[in-house]
Structure formats: C-alpha cells, structure tokens
C-alpha cells in the first residue's frame, strides 16, 4: 500500500512558493510529508502560505531570496543544507512575464535582459546551487517552470517566450549531464494557468493564449502541482531532460 506521506524525511526548496503555482506546490509537497523551504521575494504573501501549511501540521519555512542575486541564492541554499542536512527536491516556480503587447523589434534589449535575469539566470543559479548537494547524495529531483510560450512562442511576449525557450535548453543539457548521477532535471510547459502572473498581461495576449487551448479554459494551480508531485517523486526515476506539457491539449508533442 502507498504511504499517505510519501515524501516524509525529504527536504524541498520551492522557489516562488509565495504565489500561484509555487504556492500550490508548497502546500501539496508539505502535505505529502516533505519539509519545504520557500525562496521568494514577497515576504508577506509567502508568510500566509507558510502559516497555512504549518497550521495543517506540516513543515514549512521561508527565506527571503531575490533569485537574481546569485550570492544570496547560494548562501541560502547552503544554509538549508546546513540546517536540514539534505536537499532532495528543487522546484523553481519563480517567473515574470516581462513586458507584453509589444513586438520584438520594438521591445529593446533591456526588456530581454531584465526578464532573463529572473526567468533564466536566476534559474541557473538555483539549479547549480542545489545540484552540488544532490550529486553528492546521488539523488535529486529538479523541476523548472518553462511555458508553452517557450515551445511555440507567443507573439508580443518576446522576452518571456525567449527566456522560457532558454530554460528548455538548460533542462535538456543538464538532464543529460546528470543522467547517471541519480539527479533528474525536468521542465513543465503549461499553457495559461489562473494565477496573479497574468494580472498585468495585455488582455489581447491573454485572449490569444486562451483561444489556442482546445479545452477552452485556463489550467488550475492544483493541476500543475499534482504533475509536479509526480515528477519529484522517487517513482519518476526514468525521465530526465524532458518537458512535460500541461496545456489543455494545445501542445500534444
Ligand atoms: N500562470 C501561467 O499562466 C503560467 C503559464 C506557463 C508558465 N508559467 C510559469 O510558472 C511559474 C510560476 O508562475 P505563476 O503564474 O505561479 O506566477 P506568480 O506571479 O503567481 O508567482 C511567481 C512568484 O515568483 C516570485 N518572484 C518574482 N520575482 C522574483 C525574484 N526576483 N526572486 C524571487 N522570487 C520572485 C513572486 O514573488 C511570486 O511569489 C513562472 O515561471 C511562470 O512563468 C506560468
């Protein structure tokens, strides 16, 4: 019979756990028994998620980390290892849309650099920081939140689409590098999911994204968290460097 708390004894870092997909993932992994440490910029929002998980009797704590700050990412990851003795799981759900509603030729390089700093360079810093502990332990599960925008490209979301495509390259390269190490590296490519990230997205862009989804609806954060809970489980042992689609039928390849 399967345990109700299959992740008991494991330590997970969930970056971006203060909102949306990261928050749903934090709540779910903690309820499955993992000790979850959330890295996020937004202390107030994250504290609510932590309080809720702790109120349900689960282990959950918070470190305020700006994922753009490589030193802070490394320092806080090292602290997690020092305090808890292991890092089994790392889910990176930090992300921003960057500017939307403007075509690439009018966007300017700064918009790309700013978006890449969070969505791509931050992701590399975090992945590198946890990898060394996972390789040492000969076990680990890393999940990066990419997007269908990275597989297909969303018009007028050039910086976002490009940063999410870059993440796919990262996951495919490092998944192969670590293939015999016991550490898996995978990505998820959701279509639109109902979270605050879309609050400031140009409505025309949101309408475009919805029109491409055969199921005709947004995804829910719980649906993403449920997929993540499988990818980070010991049972997901023969899949690495893969991009899991979660797109209501938009992507079927
Ligand atoms: N919601 C969607 O439609 C959708 C679709 C595809 C992919 N994604 C990806 O999923 C991930 C999660 O998205 P979401 O919709 O839950 O977003 P969200 O805005 O609800 O949450 C993002 C979290 O990241 C944190 N964050 C932002 N910048 C940060 C920084 N510099 N350092 C640390 N934390 C920072 C925010 O405080 C927030 O808690 C993102 O990578 C996003 O691109 C989302």
């Amino acid at each position: 019979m399967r345990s109700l708390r299959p992740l008991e004894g494991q330590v997970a870092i969930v970056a971006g756990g203060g909102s949306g997909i990261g928050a749903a993932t934090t709540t779910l992994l903690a309820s499955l028994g993992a000790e979850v440490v959330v890295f996020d910029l937004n202390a107030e929002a994250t504290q609510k998620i932590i309080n809720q998980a702790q109120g349900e009797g689960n282990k959950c704590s918070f470190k305020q980390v700006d994922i753009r700050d490589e030193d802070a990412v490394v320092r806080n990851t090292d602290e997690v290892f020092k305090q808890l003795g292991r890092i089994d799981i790392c889910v990176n759900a930090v992300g921003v849309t960057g500017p939307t509603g403007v075509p690439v030729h009018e966007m300017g390089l700064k918009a790309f650099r700013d978006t890449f700093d969070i969505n791509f360079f931050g992701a590399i810093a975090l992945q590198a920081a946890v990898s060394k502990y996972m390789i040492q332990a000969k076990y680990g599960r890393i999940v990066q939140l990419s997007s269908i925008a990275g597989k297909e490209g969303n018009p007028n979301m050039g910086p976002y689409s490009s940063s999410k495509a870059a993440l796919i390259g990262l996951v495919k390269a490092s998944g192969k590098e670590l293939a015999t190490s016991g550490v898996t590296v995978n990505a998820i490519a959701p279509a639109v999911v109902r979270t605050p990230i879309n609050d400031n997205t140009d409505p025309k862009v949101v309408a475009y994204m919805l029109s491409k989804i055969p199921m005709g609806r947004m995804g829910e954060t719980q649906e993403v968290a449920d997929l993540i809970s499988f990818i980070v489980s010991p049972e997901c042992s023969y899949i690495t460097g893969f991009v899991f689609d979660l797109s209501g039928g938009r992507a079927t390849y």
Side-chain angles (χ1 to χ4, degrees):
M1 208 169 78
R2 290 204 171 199
S3 159
L4 287 175
R5 290 172 70 84
L7 299 180
E8 196 75 62
Q10 294 202 16
V11 172
I13 292 175
V14 178
S19 174
I21 291 167
T25 302
T26 297
T27 306
L28 181 58
L29 298 189
S31 77
L32 293 174
E35 175 146 14
V36 181
V37 183
V38 174
F39 286 6
D40 204 295
L41 251 189
N42 186 336
E44 203 184 321
T46 307
Q47 201 52 54
K48 285 190 194 141
I49 306 300
I50 304 289
N51 292 348
Q52 189 193 324
Q54 289 176 343
E56 289 164 3
N58 299 319
K59 293 182 193 148
C60 202
S61 59
F62 171 53
K63 291 186 182 296
Q64 190 168 30
V65 182
D66 184 336
I67 204 158
R68 289 169 291 195
D69 180 347
E70 186 183 5
D71 290 344
V73 169
V74 171
R75 195 173 57 251
N76 281 281
T77 303
D78 290 349
E79 261 178 46
V80 172
F81 185 78
K82 235 182 250 156
Q83 287 162 1
L84 303 176
R86 55 195 295 159
I87 300 172
D88 304 279
I89 295 167
C90 177
V91 180
N92 177 26
V94 170
V96 292
T97 56
T100 61
V102 183
V104 167
H105 62 275
E106 289 172 12
M107 191 69 82
L109 272 187
K110 186 175 183 317
F112 280 82
R113 289 201 173 101
D114 290 350
T115 308
F116 267 70
D117 274 345
I118 297 176
N119 289 3
F120 185 57
F121 295 116
I124 299 173
L126 180 63
Q127 183 172 312
V130 297
S131 288
K132 69 175 184 213
Y133 294 114
M134 293 178 173
I135 292 165
Q136 214 171 285
K138 300 189 171 55
Y139 182 85
R141 299 280 184 265
I142 296 171
V143 180
Q144 297 281 5
L145 262 298
S146 180
S147 167
I148 190 67
K151 287 186 94 170
E152 298 196 349
N154 281 344
N156 302 311
M157 287 186 89
Y160 184 76
S161 301
S162 311
S163 68
K164 294 298 178 178
L167 263 186
I168 291 174
L170 173 78
V171 161
K172 287 186 181 291
S174 52
K176 290 185 170 76
E177 286 166 7
L178 297 180
T180 58
S181 71
V183 181
T184 65
V185 190
N186 290 293
I188 301 182
V192 206
V193 180
R194 193 189 312 280
T195 78
I197 204 173
N198 295 307
D199 286 353
N200 298 318
T201 304
D202 184 325
K204 283 197 218 98
V205 173
V206 175
Y208 167 83
M209 295 191 291
L210 262 176
S211 74
K212 303 279 282 184
I213 300 174
M215 284 190 189
R217 66 167 176 89
M218 288 195 186
E220 300 295 339
T221 55
Q222 190 61 42
E223 294 176 306
V224 192
D226 281 331
L227 174 60
I228 290 172
S229 73
F230 168 66
I231 302 171
V232 303
S233 71
E235 287 75 20
C236 188
S237 50
Y238 198 48
I239 304 175
T240 195
F242 187 61
V243 182
F244 290 79
D245 292 327
L246 188 116
S247 64
R250 175 170 171 185
T252 52
Y253 59 94

